[in-house]
Amino acid sequence: MKMGKQKVLSAALVMALAVSSISGAGVADAAKKAALKTKKMTLQVKGSKKIVIKNKSAKMKYTFKSSKKSVAKVSKTGKVTGVKAGEAKITVFEAKKKAKKKKKIGTCSVVVKPQKSNTQKKATAAPGTSAPAATAPAATAPVVTPPESTAPAVTEVPAPAKATIVPAYNTTTVGFDGSTSKVVESEITVPLKEAMLYGGICKVSADFTQETGSEQELSVGYEGEYLNFTLNGAYIKDKSVDPMSDSTAFCCPSGETVHQEFSFDVPKYSYDFNLKISGPAGVSFKVDNVTVQTMPFADADYADMVEHSTRSTGNNARIKKAIEKARAGEDVTIAYLGGSITEGFAASETDNGDCYAEESYNQFKYNYGAGDGSNVHFINAGMSGTPSRLGIIRYERDVLAQMKHGQYPDILFIDFAVNDGGDCAEQYESIIRTALEQGSAVVLMFVLYNNGNGREDLYKEFGEYYELAMVSPGSGMKSAKKSAFDHWFYWPDGHPDVGGHRYMADCISRMFRAVDEEETKTDNNRVAEKPMEGKNFVGMKTLESSTDISKIDAVKSIEVGGFSVLKDSDQPTLQYIKNGVEKLPWFPDVWAHTSSSGSDSFKAEIKCNSILVAYKQAGSGFGKAECYVDGKYVGDLDKSTGGWNNAMVFTALSEDTVKDHTLEIKMKEGDEKKPFTIYAIGYADSGEKAE
């Protein structure tokens, strides 16, 4: 369609030029001026409509500006998207291309209405009956605004109240089935699991009313259980929090509304946190305007930490495009490639959904997805012990092969600042360049151990060079007391715990919010520039024993030799479900040499410019191997012991030119009867082609 329109437009321009050459200035004088066809519009939150301009000129460019971006946003093409209920004006300007001076051609008035729930769409409001809609102040994570109620006040409670609440570290308003108020008999339990997932300070405020004719004593407390976790070598399991151990009692006179505020210190690692509001048996009372304010600990301004975690929003064009697609109901995929923290290690003993990757995806889906957010999709490609040199091998298998909607992720998070060491910089840059060439928005995620180690200061240079968004939880941490941060956000081994993962997810959401509020930039083409470290690993592909090489032109042949065992069950498993399989081995399809395999070499003929070999580093008993390329010895695979069955990576080849090569791996002399496992091979064939 676009090509067709361009051809028609080109033809129209030719005709116009021909006519103008005959008629002269008279035609120009008769030309109609550009004007707005769309002068007003009404849409719902997350809904979109486009401003139409009449008599547009191909010689002109048209720009749009919203008077209230918090109410209605407008793209560079004139598509208006409702952000929240309210009114705004979109001013449209016209200017000659490359000219700075512009003129206003009109204004479009926009009314944004609240998004209707399913019950609102079906219900018919009774005359004169409506409940005020509850709104929550801006928070560092999404805040629910309960829908308006069209039903009269409830006088009985048939079932326990179900709170509508999401993570927020400012103030969140609790909703009760579409209303801010609830009539309670004796007691009510308000589930706040998402708000107090890992403990901290919880402040609650609410209004109470009762009509019994006499003063009644009410009380507010909390209950919950601890996560299963190990602390100083001791395994703590299923320890309950006393339901009303820190409850507060107060008097509520009959016929009066009493406003009360409460504060609780919730133990770390608590979950299934519930707020309990109780009165005497058989006494009914009304609870209204319940708000919950949470923060992890007293020694830090959590909101300030989150605000300081965005190192850069970079060139925002691709992220903003993904946000617009999500709002419009188009499929959007967010992928996370990294190590143990991205995989979710120590996020929770009970649910890997607490991992920062999945939690930040859920927040994106909630904030920007259409309807229930089912058009936003998620890939976790984290794997413990993964540096960039292994990440670039896994990228095709664990990210691209997992795509169910489109070929490439709309947004790719890269997390290797902690795991990388030695000469990983070129592979790190190659992942960036690979994703950028494929059209993805790339975000550098600088996760952090509590010892502060990492490569953020080095890798931020890649972010600056390629103008990428960068999320730095460590930068936010600098505004908190270190001891308090350690106490609340890390396990004893230094990995982030549930609280640390929630903090990192909020840092990512803050970056998305900052990008969403910015003007759209013009997408750059930084991959056309010279690389900082190199590009020999760009476009690397994954080769495993299950790979069908008959479909791959670059791989001419594979002879497994003595590496004929294609499974190795003695290796780590993923902490998340992948391809519908729980506890899937990291490398399900290997080439393994056993004590009885003999001495025949593994050989592969590949047309490429680079080769990486990932092999198993076991605790003990494994042998060593030698690596040859084109018959020339290039090094030993000698890190096969002293590990925990994790992967080591050896660079067998790195050249600029794509040529035919033969990779050979054989056991070292004296180790022919020892086991050795090749996990996977990565090869790139995107370099210059040989003559």
Side-chain angles (χ1 to χ4, degrees):
M1 289 296 293
K2 290 183 178 179
M3 289 298 295
K5 288 181 180 179
Q6 289 173 347
K7 291 178 180 178
V8 171
L9 180 59
S10 299
L13 288 173
V14 171
M15 290 294 293
L17 289 172
V19 172
S20 63
S21 64
I22 297 172
S23 303
V27 174
D29 293 338
K32 295 182 179 179
K33 295 182 179 180
L36 291 189
K37 183 176 181 180
T38 309
K39 296 183 179 180
K40 61 181 180 178
M41 66 172 64
T42 301
L43 61 159
Q44 292 183 0
V45 172
K46 295 188 178 181
S48 298
K49 292 182 181 179
K50 193 166 184 179
I51 295 176
V52 179
I53 303 174
K54 299 185 295 183
N55 307 320
K56 289 176 67 174
S57 170
K59 297 180 180 180
M60 297 291 189
K61 64 178 180 179
Y62 299 89
T63 55
F64 308 84
K65 184 176 181 180
S66 173
S67 63
K68 290 184 180 179
K69 295 179 185 177
S70 61
V71 173
K73 300 182 59 171
V74 61
S75 71
K76 61 183 179 182
T77 60
K79 185 175 74 173
V80 181
T81 302
V83 179
K84 71 176 183 180
E87 297 182 3
K89 292 184 181 296
I90 308 297
T91 305
V92 185
F93 300 91
E94 181 187 61
K96 291 183 179 180
K97 293 182 177 179
K98 296 185 179 181
K100 293 183 179 180
K101 189 175 181 181
K102 58 185 179 181
K103 69 175 183 177
K104 174 181 172 182
I105 64 171
T107 301
C108 176
S109 299
V110 180
V111 176
V112 180
K113 295 185 176 181
Q115 194 174 30
K116 293 182 179 180
S117 66
N118 290 333
T119 54
Q120 282 179 301
K121 292 175 182 177
K122 296 177 181 178
T124 302
T129 60
S130 62
T135 57
T140 59
V143 177
V144 169
T145 300
E148 296 179 356
S149 172
T150 57
V154 178
T155 56
E156 295 182 2
V157 181
K162 183 178 180 181
T164 304
I165 195 164
V166 292
Y169 296 107
N170 283 326
T171 302
T172 302
T173 301
V174 178
F176 301 103
D177 301 324
S179 174
T180 61
S181 63
K182 195 76 172 178
V183 177
V184 180
E185 184 172 346
S186 299
E187 71 174 22
I188 184 173
T189 299
V190 181
L192 302 181
K193 175 182 177 181
E194 291 301 315
M196 298 302 298
L197 186 60
Y198 58 86
I201 298 172
C202 177
K203 296 182 179 179
V204 180
S205 67
D207 296 329
F208 301 88
T209 309
Q210 57 91 11
E211 304 282 352
T212 63
S214 61
E215 185 176 83
Q216 301 292 336
E217 183 178 273
L218 307 180
S219 61
V220 177
Y222 68 87
E223 65 178 1
E225 290 186 344
Y226 290 116
L227 291 168
N228 301 339
F229 69 101
T230 303
L231 182 61
N232 298 328
Y235 188 60
I236 312 298
K237 182 178 180 181
D238 296 335
K239 182 179 178 182
S240 296
V241 178
D242 186 358
M244 300 296 285
S245 60
D246 196 14
S247 62
T248 300
F250 61 96
C251 293
C252 182
S254 179
E256 297 182 19
T257 298
V258 177
H259 179 76
Q260 291 287 327
E261 297 183 357
F262 316 91
S263 180
F264 305 105
D265 291 329
V266 182
K268 187 180 182 184
Y269 300 126
S270 61
Y271 76 108
D272 283 345
F273 177 86
N274 299 316
L275 187 68
K276 295 206 73 160
I277 306 173
S278 304
V283 171
S284 295
F285 57 92
K286 180 183 177 184
V287 184
D288 200 4
N289 301 320
V290 181
T291 61
V292 179
Q293 184 182 35
T294 64
M295 63 189 72
F297 50 84
D299 295 328
D301 182 344
Y302 186 86
D304 185 65
M305 289 167 58
V306 172
E307 285 301 308
H308 284 86
S309 66
T310 301
R311 180 178 279 277
S312 171
T313 55
N315 184 295
N316 63 25
R318 296 187 184 187
I319 296 179
K320 290 185 77 71
K321 180 181 178 181
I323 291 174
E324 289 179 8
K325 284 177 62 179
R327 282 180 170 143
E330 299 178 45
D331 288 312
V332 170
T333 299
I334 307 176
Y336 299 75
L337 180 66
S340 59
I341 298 176
T342 297
E343 183 181 359
F345 179 81
S348 169
E349 290 280 350
T350 60
D351 182 5
N352 198 59
D354 297 331
C355 171
Y356 87 84
E358 190 158 350
E359 175 59 27
S360 62
Y361 149 73
N362 283 328
Q363 292 187 16
F364 182 97
K365 180 170 68 171
Y366 176 88
N367 284 330
Y368 309 113
D372 62 358
S374 58
N375 62 309
V376 182
H377 313 287
F378 168 65
I379 296 173
N380 188 334
M383 180 187 289
S384 297
T386 297
S388 294
R389 61 168 69 94
L390 182 57
I392 189 66
I393 296 175
R394 296 197 297 109
Y395 183 64
E396 182 191 39
R397 183 195 74 172
D398 293 345
V399 176
L400 301 186
Q402 304 304 311
M403 292 291 299
K404 294 181 173 60
H405 305 274
Q407 283 185 285
Y408 310 112
D410 296 88
I411 302 172
L412 174 69
F413 284 84
I414 301 176
D415 150 35
F416 294 114
V418 168
N419 283 9
D420 275 5
D423 59 349
C424 283
E426 184 176 355
Q427 286 92 355
Y428 185 84
E429 183 176 18
S430 292
I431 299 172
I432 294 172
R433 292 183 71 94
T434 298
L436 289 178
E437 286 182 1
Q438 292 167 347
S440 300
V442 174
V443 181
L444 302 187
M445 180 66 187
F446 298 130
V447 300
L448 193 69
Y449 282 122
N450 66 340
N451 61 14
N453 292 341
R455 283 195 160 193
E456 180 174 346
D457 287 342
L458 174 63
Y459 282 176
K460 70 179 183 184
E461 296 179 6
F462 289 114
E464 293 166 355
Y465 184 75
Y466 289 100
E467 299 178 29
L468 307 176
M470 293 183 278
V471 179
S472 171
S475 296
M477 188 187 76
K478 293 176 182 178
S479 66
K481 289 185 179 180
K482 185 71 163 60
S483 60
F485 191 89
D486 289 350
H487 177 67
W488 281 102
F489 286 134
Y490 286 99
W491 282 69
D493 75 343
H495 278 84
D497 63 8
V498 179
H501 279 269
R502 180 55 55 85
Y503 167 60
M504 290 188 290
D506 287 347
C507 292
I508 290 173
S509 291
R510 192 274 171 193
M511 179 276 295
F512 280 133
R513 189 175 72 249
V515 169
D516 191 31
E517 293 171 353
E518 293 176 340
E519 293 290 336
T520 304
K521 297 180 180 179
T522 301
D523 195 355
N524 59 16
N525 188 26
R526 295 297 301 170
V527 289
E529 303 296 328
K530 181 180 178 181
M532 294 176 62
E533 293 288 334
K535 59 178 182 178
N536 288 347
F537 303 95
V538 170
M540 180 155 277
K541 299 177 177 62
T542 312
L543 188 61
E544 297 179 292
S545 63
S546 60
T547 305
D548 185 356
I549 64 172
S550 67
K551 298 179 180 179
I552 304 174
D553 292 337
V555 183
K556 307 300 181 184
S557 66
I558 291 179
E559 297 176 17
V560 298
F563 298 76
S564 58
V565 178
L566 307 184
K567 299 291 180 183
D568 185 341
S569 59
D570 190 14
Q571 59 172 299
T573 58
L574 294 172
Q575 297 184 62
Y576 50 84
I577 296 174
K578 180 181 177 183
N579 297 332
V581 179
E582 189 174 358
K583 296 188 179 301
L584 184 72
W586 285 3
F587 297 95
D589 306 298
V590 305
W591 294 281
H593 179 280
T594 68
S595 58
S596 59
S597 292
S599 58
D600 289 346
S601 301
F602 171 94
K603 293 182 180 180
E605 295 183 21
I606 310 172
K607 189 170 187 177
C608 59
N609 63 285
S610 65
I611 301 174
L612 297 176
V613 179
Y615 62 98
K616 180 177 178 178
Q617 186 181 23
S620 62
F622 264 48
K624 298 178 181 179
E626 296 174 341
C627 187
Y628 296 80
V629 174
D630 301 330
K632 180 181 178 182
Y633 169 79
V634 293
D636 282 349
L637 309 182
D638 59 356
K639 301 290 194 301
S640 56
T641 60
W644 38 277
N645 299 333
N646 54 307
M648 296 299 297
V649 180
F650 175 74
T651 303
L653 176 71
S654 177
E655 297 180 346
D656 296 332
T657 305
V658 175
K659 294 185 294 186
D660 288 323
H661 294 285
T662 299
L663 170 71
E664 180 182 4
I665 299 172
K666 66 179 181 179
M667 299 303 296
K668 285 187 70 69
E669 185 176 353
D671 284 358
E672 294 90 348
K673 293 186 177 181
K674 291 183 179 180
F676 187 94
T677 300
I678 303 170
Y679 273 153
I681 294 170
Y683 69 92
D685 57 355
S686 57
E688 298 294 328
K689 301 297 187 287
E691 294 294 334

